[in-house]
Amino acid sequence: MANEPSAAHRQRHAQRMNALLDHIDRHLDQTLELSSLAERMHFSPFHFHRVFAAWMGETLGDYLRHRRLDVSALMLAQPEPRSVLEVALTVGFGSSEAFARAFKLRFGQTPSAWRLDSPQRWARELAHSREQQALRHRPPQALLSNLDQTERNLDQADATCAEEDTGSCFTSESQMHISLQQLPPTRVAYLRHIGPYGQRVHKFWMNTVLPWRQAQGLEQRACYGIGHDDPSLAAPEQCRYDACVEVDADFIARSPASIQDLPGGRYAVAQFRGSLADFSHAWTELLRGWLPSSGMQIDGRPVFEHYPPGADYDPTTGIFSCELCLPVKAS
């Protein structure tokens, strides 16, 4: 019993910090002074500075800087014809010069060079992901006989994967079953995980989210997973993931849950069936393979996975099903 107040305090603190991070994301084009954010959190500036650094592992100034630059890097990689100055102003920099200096310090190249290199960079990421996927699905004897090869025939890898008939291979665009759909807005309650994606998120779902969902009587409701950060840009320990459950409009979220609304609109929806090891590759195929050749671009709405009620999950094999939902608009 003595631990309950402490646990409840940590949960309320987590809610407040999550709300602050969401507020920052919605207002990156504004000044976001420490004093005003501290007032929003009902802390003195001195204490807020320490609390934020303890929670995120970096100062508020460092967090704002890398968050703005990460968002700008995603914007610059899109085919939308925005100038570097427009991107700089959108993420809160006062001039293209200051933006270019900060961008080069973080990514090692200028914003213009990053934009020009994006198609090649995406192609490299896709090729590496396909190579790793081929290795995972190659028979052990073939794997041992090819360890010394640095270049692999991806077409052969696709054929090998298709022959397995496991439903978990995503080495070519044609196997992803992508459709454009108009999705409705959805109100969700969510719990947030901050840290590396992958296995830790899976454990978060199993050990924290599903027991909470059951206790709230929401077992038959659809679930969603929102990855707020691009793991190719953000540090693993700073990646934010929201595990969400659909709720009614009058649902009252109590600690540790919070409420948000998933915006509706046009999405590219890819059907996924596979293991956790296949999951990252499927997203890479969608973002780095399908998207550049689709004539569309991603917009500012959240990217998420959708788990319909009764979605398949085999605890023995780890195979599960969901939909990968990418918000898109015409280029």
Side-chain angles (χ1 to χ4, degrees):
M1 295 293 290
N3 292 331
E4 289 182 6
S6 177
H9 175 75
R10 286 196 300 270
Q11 290 173 348
R12 287 193 297 271
H13 180 69
Q15 283 182 305
R16 293 167 68 190
M17 293 303 296
N18 290 336
L20 176 67
L21 298 181
D22 294 342
H23 173 80
I24 288 172
D25 267 6
R26 292 192 298 268
H27 299 88
L28 286 176
D29 60 334
Q30 300 178 17
T31 304
L32 295 173
E33 296 283 357
L34 184 147
S35 57
S36 62
L37 293 175
E39 182 179 0
R40 183 181 184 86
M41 291 288 291
H42 306 293
F43 282 112
S44 70
F46 174 74
H47 288 299
F48 173 69
H49 180 80
R50 295 177 61 187
V51 166
F52 188 93
W55 182 256
M56 292 302 298
E58 61 182 339
T59 66
L60 174 66
D62 287 341
Y63 177 82
L64 289 174
R65 189 177 304 107
H66 86 68
R67 185 64 188 145
R68 283 175 162 140
L69 291 171
D70 288 358
V71 171
S72 73
L74 293 173
M75 295 173 65
L76 288 166
Q78 298 296 314
E80 188 175 1
R82 288 189 182 187
S83 68
V84 170
L85 178 59
E86 286 178 296
V87 172
L89 296 175
T90 300
V91 296
F93 283 85
S95 69
S96 56
E97 292 78 10
F99 172 59
R101 287 194 300 270
F103 194 96
K104 188 171 183 178
L105 188 63
R106 179 160 177 79
F107 296 112
Q109 57 185 160
T110 66
S112 297
W114 177 272
R115 167 174 277 164
L116 290 173
D117 186 49
S118 289
Q120 292 78 16
R121 185 176 60 255
W122 283 15
R124 291 192 297 269
E125 291 178 19
L126 182 60
H128 176 72
S129 180
R130 287 177 172 175
E131 180 178 341
Q132 296 303 308
Q133 186 76 350
L135 287 173
R136 281 196 292 270
H137 290 280
R138 186 163 295 179
Q141 61 273 21
L143 178 61
L144 290 173
S145 65
N146 287 281
L147 284 177
D148 59 341
Q149 294 183 9
T150 58
E151 295 184 358
R152 303 180 186 279
N153 188 316
L154 295 178
D155 291 334
Q156 286 184 342
D158 286 352
T160 301
C161 203
E163 289 171 2
E164 293 181 4
D165 194 29
T166 62
S168 61
C169 297
F170 288 84
T171 53
S172 71
E173 173 191 323
S174 63
Q175 292 173 290
M176 294 199 68
H177 309 295
I178 300 166
S179 61
L180 294 178
Q181 299 182 25
Q182 195 74 17
L183 301 183
T186 305
R187 189 168 181 79
V188 296
Y190 72 93
L191 306 180
R192 176 164 292 173
H193 166 82
I194 299 180
Y197 294 157
Q199 189 62 236
R200 294 195 188 183
V201 167
H202 174 71
K203 291 181 178 178
F204 181 65
W205 272 106
M206 302 304 294
N207 299 336
T208 302
V209 181
L210 295 184
W212 177 87
R213 178 187 178 207
Q214 184 176 22
Q216 299 297 314
L218 300 171
E219 300 98 316
Q220 302 306 314
R221 295 300 185 95
C223 293
Y224 301 82
I226 306 173
H228 290 280
D229 300 280
D230 186 334
S232 69
L233 300 176
E237 64 273 10
Q238 294 168 341
C239 288
R240 296 162 299 150
Y241 180 92
D242 292 346
C244 312
V245 184
E246 183 179 1
V247 295
D248 295 329
D250 59 353
F251 181 86
I252 299 175
R254 295 181 174 86
S255 184
S258 300
I259 291 288
Q260 64 177 304
D261 293 303
L262 283 179
R266 197 180 195 190
Y267 287 80
V269 180
Q271 304 298 320
F272 172 82
R273 183 175 182 273
S275 68
L276 193 60
D278 300 315
F279 198 54
S280 175
H281 175 68
W283 274 116
T284 301
E285 282 286 348
L286 185 60
L287 289 163
R288 304 296 190 249
W290 177 82
L291 181 62
S293 61
S294 68
M296 312 197 77
Q297 63 178 323
I298 189 171
D299 67 19
R301 290 169 292 156
V303 172
F304 60 85
E305 62 254 22
H306 170 225
Y307 302 88
D312 293 339
Y313 173 65
D314 186 335
T316 302
T317 63
I319 298 296
F320 65 98
S321 299
C322 70
E323 296 175 333
L324 311 183
C325 301
L326 185 68
V328 292
K329 62 181 180 180
S331 296

